[in-house]
Amino acid sequence: MNSKKRFSIAMDMDTPDGIPVAPMVNVPHASRVLGVKPWEYVTDNKLYVKGQIMAQQKYGYDWIFNHQPIQGITADEKKAMTRDKDYVIIPTELGPKIKIPLLGGPAVKEPALKDYSQLDELAMPDLDKPGRMEPLEELLKQTGESVYICSKIQAPFHYAAEWMRGMSDFMLDMLMRPADVHRLLDFMADVAIETGKKQIDIGTHGIMMEDPSAASQVISPEHYREFAYPYEKKVCRALNKYGGDVIIHICGDTTKILEDLAKTGAKCLSVDEHVNLADAMERVGNKVSLFGNVSVGTLFEGSEKQIKDNVKNCIDDAGHKGYIVSSSCGLHSGTPFENIHRMVKAAREFGI
Amino acid sequence: MIKEAIINGDIDNIEGIVKGALDSGTAPDDVLGEMIAGMEIVGEKFEKKEYYVPETLLSAHTMQKGLDLLRPLLPYKKSDKRGLIIIGTVEGDVHDIGKNLVAMFEEGAGFEVHNLGRDVATSEFVAKARELRPDIVGLSAMMSTSMEKMGEVIEEFKKEGLRENVLFIIGGAAPTEEFAREIGADGYAEDAAKAVRLCEKLMSERR
């Protein structure tokens, strides 16, 4: 059974020949595998594709996480980006400026909306711009037959909070101008849906929708249900209808909102290490498959035995059906290569 | 009344409430005391997960608005302040909610706070420390990738001969108590309410 098949069966809540393993190899890690600076990796579609394929082949895990938040970089963006010694700043199509530092992944340097009147001027990003979908096309062409290609979209709540408005202002907006917040979220849901549909058209096997700003350390379950859940659901349902499978990832402790997440229409939930997999499987395992949650801290600085034990515990808790071994979140930048080898090896050993 | 307005984040009415209290003869110091008492409750609610970030931020902003009215009436000399703090998120990290909450809580507790913002270069921490002579320097990092910068800031203060004069506190999602010890910081706090208590403790030990 090849990786793509193995991953798909687990996504479908069934039991493949072995549990798939799929660490969240992100900008800091993949660029190190490739031996280039993070900003070189992010701003060159060919290097980006090369880095992801190189990492998959090096470790032999079952998926490729096509993880760029704005997809591939376009010629316009390359022209408009400013470069310092250690970082670059890229103005993105909807307005937010992102910074790619020497260490670490992209972060929003400047959100787009100073006030909500600007919302009326926002137009849907042009997903047909040359370069935008180049990484996905290339990944599919080069490894799409045998490896599961999962492409990222940003959840409406996270895109609105972190990218468009800035977290502090957005948090206050939720309490002080909820109607405007919902208007913005509606637009961001359309962006997510159009992006996901485009990825499905091109042939992505799955979609990973990340909503870290909706973590239960940040907002209450009540606010999650009012501002995050309805839009996650809207996006999942639209993409399901279009034939797409969605994994939702939220960082932190999602224990209190697991049942909601399972009702969004997502096929699979990616949970952080704060969530108990046995408990999650019992509560929502009949509705969704689960993905997670080997501690990124242990992968960063744990011993060989700690990593092995962590993978084994995850499998003991989750079982073999409808489960994919992954890291609890994106890998820390200094995570030793050897530790990802150890994670994959343990998953192969205990996942049979 | 003032205390409740802070707890409930009554940002639209806080100015009127503070003015009313002052007009009816309440001393500015007592108004401030009420606001601090309110923020203490907010801190407790945040720790108990009755409040999350939006509610806590709204209370902190409400207090800021009240403080703006009060400040000219509180003729503190610097020596009356509980201490001077400079605080910022280290370079490469643009997260600032937690750090802003700490800054507002500390200010509410009577510290003089200079918030340097986010993505603050090491050289800027040094320059500001020379200029303002702070008692405490607060460093924040949300991402494990930027955590390493915290140690770099402390090393740079050593090189520049500034380390002995300041206390370093660190916080944010990434660092831990153990990490604080490793890089030679003087203290670590998990959240804004604990950061206030940490600063109070450090300052009293110093005297």
Side-chain angles (χ1 to χ4, degrees):
Chain A
M1 193 177 283
N2 70 17
S3 288
K4 181 180 163 188
K5 182 88 182 150
R6 186 175 300 127
F7 196 106
S8 304
I9 291 175
M11 279 282 280
D12 284 333
M13 290 166 56
D14 214 335
T15 312
D17 62 344
I19 298 175
V21 54
M24 293 170 85
V25 172
N26 49 4
V27 175
H29 197 84
S31 58
R32 263 178 57 231
V33 168
L34 198 56
V36 301
K37 288 179 180 161
W39 64 261
E40 292 172 321
Y41 167 81
V42 171
T43 57
D44 183 328
N45 290 340
K46 294 203 165 46
L47 273 183
Y48 167 78
V49 169
K50 194 173 160 197
Q52 278 300 328
I53 290 178
M54 198 185 263
Q56 191 275 331
Q57 288 172 349
K58 176 185 174 79
Y59 298 121
Y61 48 69
D62 293 304
W63 79 334
I64 282 179
F65 184 21
N66 177 28
H67 60 83
Q68 295 267 61
I70 55 162
Q71 318 305 319
I73 192 159
T74 66
D76 294 351
E77 281 160 348
K78 265 187 126 161
K79 211 181 287 167
M81 76 187 188
T82 51
R83 186 181 307 174
D84 198 284
K85 182 163 60 74
D86 290 341
Y87 62 84
V88 296
I89 291 177
I90 309 169
T92 64
E93 202 173 344
L94 282 175
K97 292 189 174 131
I98 57 171
K99 176 174 174 177
I100 325 274
L102 191 58
L103 293 165
V108 181
K109 176 76 179 161
E110 209 180 294
L113 293 181
K114 302 271 181 289
D115 71 76
Y116 283 86
S117 63
Q118 290 172 279
L119 183 51
D120 302 324
E121 296 152 25
L122 286 179
M124 188 60 61
D126 178 4
L127 296 164
D128 292 320
K129 271 193 186 164
R132 185 63 82 215
M133 292 292 157
E134 187 187 353
L136 176 57
E137 287 158 356
E138 275 303 310
L139 288 169
L140 284 164
K141 199 157 83 188
Q142 294 186 37
T143 59
E145 285 302 313
S146 56
V147 179
Y148 192 92
I149 311 290
C150 193
S151 300
K152 171 166 164 166
I153 58 175
Q154 304 206 81
F157 188 86
H158 178 67
Y159 210 150
E162 175 103 16
W163 286 61
M164 298 307 290
R165 189 66 179 132
M167 276 294 264
S168 292
D169 284 337
F170 191 79
M171 293 288 114
L172 292 172
D173 295 342
M174 285 165 58
L175 299 172
M176 299 177 71
R177 44 197 318 170
D180 283 332
V181 168
H182 282 293
R183 257 191 337 126
L184 174 58
L185 288 167
D186 262 325
F187 176 74
M188 299 328 296
D190 289 343
V191 172
I193 290 168
E194 290 311 310
T195 309
K197 281 183 174 173
K198 187 81 199 171
Q199 291 170 341
I200 294 167
D201 284 342
I202 292 169
T204 194
H205 304 142
I207 287 167
M208 169 74 88
M209 177 159 73
E210 294 191 326
D211 211 354
S213 298
S216 299
Q217 276 94 333
V218 182
I219 58 169
S220 64
E222 292 74 27
H223 274 146
Y224 167 78
R225 284 171 201 130
E226 184 181 347
F227 294 104
Y229 168 76
Y231 300 94
E232 288 172 353
K233 184 172 158 185
K234 187 176 175 188
V235 174
C236 286
R237 295 293 158 101
L239 296 182
N240 289 346
K241 237 182 179 171
Y242 208 68
D245 293 337
V246 184
I247 307 175
I248 296 188
H249 174 81
I250 299 189
C251 308
D253 188 354
T254 45
T255 305
K256 286 185 187 160
I257 55 172
L258 272 182
E259 274 86 3
D260 303 282
L261 282 163
K263 282 190 291 192
T264 53
K267 198 158 207 179
C268 177
L269 304 183
S270 162
V271 294
D272 201 334
E273 63 205 79
H274 298 89
V275 173
N276 181 296
L277 278 176
D279 173 59
M281 216 22 125
E282 194 177 313
R283 284 164 54 197
V284 298
N286 58 344
K287 290 199 186 70
V288 288
S289 50
L290 291 177
F291 183 102
N293 61 358
V294 179
S295 162
V296 286
T298 301
L299 289 172
F300 176 54
E301 55 188 359
S303 65
E304 182 171 5
K305 182 171 180 329
Q306 284 170 323
I307 293 167
K308 196 173 166 178
D309 289 349
N310 196 327
V311 172
K312 183 173 185 303
N313 288 338
C314 285
I315 293 175
D316 287 346
D317 283 347
H320 290 237
K321 190 165 170 267
Y323 173 56
I324 297 157
V325 176
S326 182
S327 48
S328 59
C329 203
L331 299 177
H332 290 351
S333 67
T335 303
F337 298 150
E338 189 52 35
N339 288 357
I340 302 305
H341 282 300
R342 286 169 176 157
M343 174 191 178
V344 174
K345 191 174 157 220
R348 297 293 184 227
E349 184 182 339
F350 300 112
I352 298 295
Chain B
M1 185 106 153
I2 293 167
K3 187 173 147 189
E4 279 69 41
I6 300 294
I7 296 170
N8 299 329
D10 194 359
I11 198 162
D12 293 330
N13 295 312
I14 186 70
E15 285 174 327
I17 293 170
V18 168
K19 270 184 198 142
L22 293 170
D23 287 347
S24 65
T26 311
D29 256 340
D30 293 337
V31 175
L32 179 65
E34 282 265 312
M35 294 207 293
I36 291 173
M39 264 333 264
E40 272 170 15
I41 305 274
V42 171
E44 283 167 22
K45 284 179 177 287
F46 186 61
E47 283 180 324
K48 284 192 286 192
K49 294 226 158 218
E50 284 172 35
Y51 274 17
Y52 289 77
V53 172
E55 298 82 8
T56 308
L57 262 183
L58 185 60
S59 287
H61 277 264
T62 305
M63 193 188 66
Q64 284 288 314
K65 218 167 162 188
L67 268 182
D68 288 345
L69 271 182
L70 219 51
R71 222 174 260 125
L73 307 172
L74 296 168
Y76 280 122
K77 296 187 288 295
K78 197 181 158 192
S79 59
D80 295 330
K81 281 272 181 187
R82 302 178 82 168
L84 194 152
I85 301 174
I86 65 172
I87 187 169
T89 307
V90 296
E91 190 169 18
D93 202 328
V94 295
H95 296 88
D96 62 356
I97 284 198
K99 182 262 302 164
N100 287 346
L101 279 176
V102 172
M104 288 189 272
F105 272 53
E106 301 281 10
E107 195 169 5
F111 288 91
E112 182 179 340
V113 181
H114 293 259
N115 188 343
L116 308 185
R118 53 188 195 162
D119 193 18
V120 178
T122 300
S123 58
E124 198 179 334
F125 278 109
V126 170
K128 282 287 170 190
R130 278 197 202 291
E131 180 196 332
L132 299 167
R133 306 269 153 204
D135 302 293
I136 296 171
V137 179
L139 305 176
S140 170
M142 188 73 184
M143 305 186 296
S144 54
T145 46
S146 48
M147 220 162 76
E148 297 158 38
K149 277 280 169 191
M150 294 176 145
E152 188 186 299
V153 175
I154 296 177
E155 285 308 309
E156 198 60 26
F157 270 63
K158 281 183 191 160
K159 259 190 238 160
E160 299 285 324
L162 295 164
R163 176 68 183 96
E164 295 309 309
N165 306 324
V166 300
L167 296 157
F168 274 100
I169 60 166
I170 71 168
T176 58
E177 184 102 51
E178 199 186 335
F179 179 77
R181 274 195 299 273
E182 266 172 39
I183 62 168
D186 299 289
Y188 159 84
E190 201 181 302
D191 60 45
K194 293 198 181 88
V196 172
R197 291 200 285 277
L198 172 66
C199 287
E200 285 168 347
K201 179 171 155 272
L202 289 173
M203 288 304 290
S204 71
E205 285 169 0
R206 196 178 206 199
R207 289 199 177 96

